[in-house]
Amino acid sequence: DLGDSYLEQILDLRRHPGEGTDLTIAYTALHGVGGSWIERVLDQAGFADTHTVAEQHLPDGSFPTVRFPNPEEPGALDLALRLCQRVGAELVLANDPDADRLGVAVPGPSGWQVLTGNQIGALLGDHVLRHTAGPDRLVVTTVVSSRLLSRMAAAHGAAYAETLTGFKWIARAALDRPDLRLVFGYEEALGYLVGDVVLDKDGVSAVMVFAELVAALRAEGRTVQDRLDELARRHGLHATAQRSLRLTGPDGADRIAAIMDRLRSAPPEALGGRSVTGTTDLLAGDGLPPADVVILDLDGDARVVVRPSGTEPKLKAYVEVVRPDVDHAGAAADLEGITSDLDRTFST
């Protein structure tokens, strides 16, 4: 009964019931628990032409076909992309093994393109904001995610909150504002919350809503890239990249701490030819709970957020540049310049 109620509430999130449901979808559960739930929700939503990666459909904790069962990892979607070629799929959807994250691949100008967490977040956020109304709406993301959601929220007259990483903080932002109605939350690591059916990231509802938004675009003769470019023309092209530095060994934690201390006391003067115009140290809070995070603001509306990983011996950096034009090559060059200098900063 609980499962049936959950699916009914997810299906209530649809804004275009029945539109474009002849979309051909390839799906993988990556040896996790999402397979049967995705089959049920997509079937009830009318997406009858869904094909699953049989080798990865049933739960198997040894994950025999992938090096690491995360849709973000290189190679994780290889079997799903092969299935696409066999069945002529127009969209690849993937969950991680506990089915709380969503990975997506779509056709691009140079073959299949795996979307970043921020691109999926922008598309889902745009879809939700387009199909809801009222100043009591709340959208939430994290300090390491793209700032595009904040600009979209302002354009739609919705409230916006930015939190520390982790969905407990996104949920708390909603619980702290009972006067507002949470309609969307996300973090760039492929976690999405659409509506408030579950006050946590949920890959099952995200799969259904993403399939619907692609079907709606297809019915208009448009693609996912068309919508991303439209958002870039309206709000600026928000291009993002990540860097991570793994520091293992008995002194790894001390080396990570030393780099963070150096960023606080003597931040670089410039990265990628852009001056560092400001530094925010979240150990001081800055309106959030204290956290080991340093934010470097760069001229030209660029930003670098650096933090130690909470689960691995890694230092992680999240880079974003915003361009007023839809120049993907220029944005890629900007990101490369900043990340190259960041690599040198980490290694010295």
Side-chain angles (χ1 to χ4, degrees):
D1 290 344
L2 183 62
D4 291 342
S5 174
Y6 165 68
L7 290 179
E8 287 174 10
Q9 291 179 75
I10 289 175
L11 291 165
D12 285 343
L13 297 172
R14 289 177 296 169
R15 303 299 173 183
H16 305 277
E19 184 174 73
T21 50
D22 58 341
L23 182 73
T24 304
I25 298 170
Y27 168 77
T28 176
L30 287 182
H31 300 293
V33 299
S36 62
W37 291 97
I38 295 301
E39 285 183 334
R40 289 177 65 188
V41 75
L42 289 182
D43 179 65
Q44 291 182 41
F47 292 98
D49 197 10
T50 298
H51 305 261
T52 61
V53 177
E55 304 94 316
Q56 298 174 334
H57 194 59
L58 296 177
D60 185 341
S62 65
F63 310 115
T65 67
V66 289
R67 186 177 65 85
F68 192 77
N70 182 335
E72 290 182 297
E73 290 290 321
L77 300 184
D78 284 356
L79 289 181
L81 292 171
R82 286 182 209 164
L83 177 62
C84 278
Q85 304 304 316
R86 294 201 302 272
V87 302
E90 303 159 84
L91 174 66
V92 172
L93 298 170
N95 289 134
D96 63 339
D98 60 348
D100 63 357
R101 299 177 195 268
L102 167 66
V104 176
V106 295
S110 303
W112 282 86
Q113 172 191 0
V114 179
L115 298 183
T116 68
N118 283 314
Q119 288 173 320
I120 299 169
L123 290 160
L124 285 170
D126 170 70
H127 181 77
V128 170
L129 287 167
R130 284 172 183 266
H131 295 97
T132 55
D136 63 332
R137 292 174 297 168
L138 172 66
V139 296
V140 186
T141 191
T142 69
V143 294
V144 302
S145 302
S146 171
R147 294 165 290 171
L148 177 55
L149 184 62
S150 68
R151 294 166 187 185
M152 291 162 49
H156 284 274
Y160 169 81
E162 194 168 285
T163 76
L164 299 178
T165 56
F167 251 82
K168 68 178 182 181
W169 298 110
I170 291 175
R172 183 170 296 180
L175 294 170
D176 286 346
R177 294 297 308 272
D179 55 317
L180 297 177
R181 174 169 48 104
L182 179 66
V183 294
F184 181 66
Y186 95 96
E187 59 183 3
E188 55 76 39
L190 301 184
Y192 308 97
L193 183 163
V194 183
D196 59 358
V197 176
V198 178
L199 202 58
D200 200 348
K201 59 182 179 288
D202 177 19
V204 179
S205 55
V207 159
M208 195 276 295
V209 175
F210 201 91
E212 184 188 48
L213 80 83
V214 173
L217 286 170
R218 179 174 172 268
E220 298 171 3
R222 307 175 71 197
T223 67
V224 163
Q225 190 59 56
D226 291 336
R227 178 52 52 82
L228 288 171
D229 287 345
E230 177 189 340
L231 292 172
R233 286 190 294 271
R234 185 175 302 170
H235 305 289
L237 175 60
H238 290 62
T240 59
Q242 280 193 40
R243 276 292 193 272
S244 63
L245 176 65
R246 180 178 288 273
L247 293 169
T248 56
D251 63 342
D254 291 339
R255 292 164 65 195
I256 288 173
I259 294 172
M260 294 299 295
D261 287 344
R262 189 168 69 246
L263 285 174
R264 291 184 169 95
S265 61
E269 294 183 358
L271 292 169
R274 296 169 182 254
S275 298
V276 176
T277 59
T279 303
T280 303
D281 180 2
L282 292 190
L283 277 180
D286 194 47
L288 296 171
D292 192 6
V293 178
V294 173
I295 302 172
L296 304 176
D297 293 313
L298 282 61
D299 64 12
D301 205 8
R303 177 173 86 161
V304 177
V305 183
V306 185
R307 70 176 182 96
S309 169
T311 57
E312 299 177 272
K314 282 183 178 180
L315 193 64
K316 305 184 79 170
Y318 307 81
V319 183
E320 180 173 48
V321 298
V322 183
R323 294 181 63 100
D325 51 16
V326 189
D327 180 359
H328 296 284
D334 290 342
L335 290 172
E336 179 59 31
I338 294 171
T339 53
S340 295
D341 281 358
L342 199 58
D343 290 342
R344 287 189 284 273
T345 298
F346 282 172
S347 62
T348 57

